[in-house]
Amino acid sequence: FLGPQTYVLGQRADLSRTLVSVAAPHLDALHALSGETVLLAVRVDLERMVIDRRRAVHSLRVDWPLGSRLPLYVGGLGVCLLAFAPPEIQTQVLEGPRRAYTEKTLVQRDALEAELERVRSEGVRVSLDDYAPGEFALAAPILDASGFSSAALNIAGFSERLTAEKQVTYLKAVRQAGRAISEGVYGRTP
């Protein structure tokens, strides 16, 4: 007899396999479009964890190994996941300690709350230098049937390669990919 916790873990594993499978062609397309690192992450407690990736074609690249974690209040993926997280998760992060990775990390509560509102309004997160100087991440949520973020995906790279035109193109592409994956996994278009 399997206990309830084992059942829940099995359900999560099935969902992760489905998510990775549905997301794969979208990650491939984002990678082909940008040539940059493309990541898929899920929320684990108060962190984001990378569960799939496509490595940039450039020799100098942003790279996150599978399983790598970062707090929800920093980076493209984390802030995107936090913006669409259940209220209790948002409260824990907003009321908890936050350390600055760079001078642009959103450690002040007012600044973080304003950014979460902007991300909810626009449906994307633009991260510039808030985890590491010279790096960008453009992220979109993957929303479950309740409208909460179960996952997020991004394009990440070095800011020198991100022109204004590329930013517009990449943001449109990650937003569309997030919606398509939400529809494919949950039957929902955010």
Side-chain angles (χ1 to χ4, degrees), residues 28-138:
D28 292 342
L30 292 173
H31 184 259
L33 171 71
S34 68
E36 299 290 356
T37 297
V38 177
L39 301 172
L40 177 66
V42 294
R43 182 177 55 80
V44 177
D45 298 320
L46 301 181
E47 297 177 313
R48 64 87 168 136
M49 183 178 73
V50 173
I51 62 169
D52 201 5
R53 70 176 179 173
R54 304 295 182 271
R55 295 178 77 187
V57 298
H58 310 286
S59 59
L60 186 59
R61 63 179 158 246
V62 172
D63 196 16
W64 288 91
L66 296 178
S68 64
R69 295 180 180 214
L70 197 64
L72 292 176
Y73 63 87
V74 67
L77 292 167
V79 174
C80 202
L81 282 164
L82 182 59
F84 293 94
E88 61 273 12
I89 298 298
Q90 291 183 29
T91 298
Q92 286 180 53
V93 172
L94 289 167
E95 292 179 356
R98 292 179 296 284
R99 78 172 181 95
Y101 290 85
T102 71
E103 63 185 34
K104 294 192 178 183
T105 304
L106 299 172
V107 292
Q108 298 299 320
R109 183 177 177 138
D110 296 2
L112 182 54
E113 286 179 321
E115 181 63 4
L116 295 176
E117 183 58 38
R118 190 197 64 69
V119 171
R120 283 189 292 270
S121 172
E122 295 179 13
V124 289
R125 161 74 163 136
V126 177
S127 170
L128 299 171
D129 304 324
D130 71 330
Y131 174 70
E135 292 183 3
F136 77 87
L138 308 173

Side-chain angles (χ1 to χ4, degrees), residues 10-20 51 150 185-186:
Q11 294 292 80
R12 284 187 183 171
D14 285 345
L15 177 59
S16 291
R17 279 193 297 277
T18 300
L19 176 62
V20 168
I51 62 169
S150 64
V185 174
Y186 301 104

